[in-house]
Amino acid sequence: MPIAESELILNKDGSIYHLNLQPDHLSDTIITVGDPERVPSVSQHFDSIETKIQKREFVTHVGYYQGKRITVISTGMGTDNIDILLNELDALVNVDLVTREPRPLEERISLRIIRVGTSGSLQADIPVGSLLASEHAVGLDSLMQFYPLVETGLEVEVATGIQQALQLPYRPYCVRGSDLLREQIGFDMVKGNTLTCPGFYGPQGRVLRLDLRLPTLIQEFQQFRHHSAEGEFRLTNFEMETAGYYALGRMLGHEVLSLNAIVANRATREFATNSEDIINDLIQKTLDRL
Ligand code: R1P
Ligand code: URA
């Protein structure tokens, strides 16, 4: 059955609705960044840039880095944007946009998607300036209330423990990302478990003029531990997208890795004076290891 025009929306030129891209704009490896201004920070390293496209916060540059074709896309902030990003990227490769038919199973394409973002550390021993590769992500956002994500026993245990610690009325979700990509690109980075928050202030325990429902939120994040045969699980850092990437990546069959430039430390209350240098270091390492 073809997918209806109201569900898979195409622009007049045949490009997909929000990303504004055609299938041939995608390389098999895609770098994603939150900040649209970070796209040129990646593509400035390219040998040549073949295309630049923008719609809303989704800025895309396609080019070559040391002979390898790379697409870099900005996403803006939050897992609601990651829902758009992953569904539209997947449709570009796994749906025939002319017939509107999903491709048969044996023709499905698995993309390699690498998030290069900023993040706050939750632990004093992960200082500002660290580069961290997310092994697991825990989502405090509501995206997975709408999809049938299948989690492992360990993932359910961790998520349930966090629900109890934070006294949440709903269970967060927990998903492991691509070990393959983490071993290839993040092998010398801190291996972490990233908490994805549906906001930058209250949901990350920041108090400006509003009090928190749970005043000890940050301490609960910092002190949370889960012990299993795989060892000790602690939360290392937070940001606003990784769990959405990992969950949708698992369900759609793409390899996804989240890399984090630690620009804040919430245990020591520091913010980096050289955050641009830290993220540029992460961009350079990522490009060199693709
Ligand atoms: C908040 O300042 C933003 O920074 C982090 C968070 O996930 C959120 O998007 O990532 P980016 O630097 O990739 O945007
Ligand atoms: N991004 C976040 O979401 N939180 C931080 O503390 C830093 C970057």
Side-chain angles (χ1 to χ4, degrees), residues 118-120 200 204 206 238-240 263-264 266:
T118 61
S119 175
F200 185 78
Q204 295 187 22
R206 289 187 168 92
F238 47 27
E239 47 72 83
M240 295 169 56
V263 297
R266 301 295 301 291

Side-chain angles (χ1 to χ4, degrees), residues 33-35 38 76-78 115-119 200 239-241:
V33 298
D35 181 355
R38 201 176 300 143
M77 293 185 265
R115 166 188 179 264
V116 176
T118 61
S119 175
F200 185 78
E239 47 72 83
M240 295 169 56
E241 293 86 21

Side-chain angles (χ1 to χ4, degrees), residues 118 132 140 261 280:
T118 61
L132 183 148
L140 295 180
N280 284 332

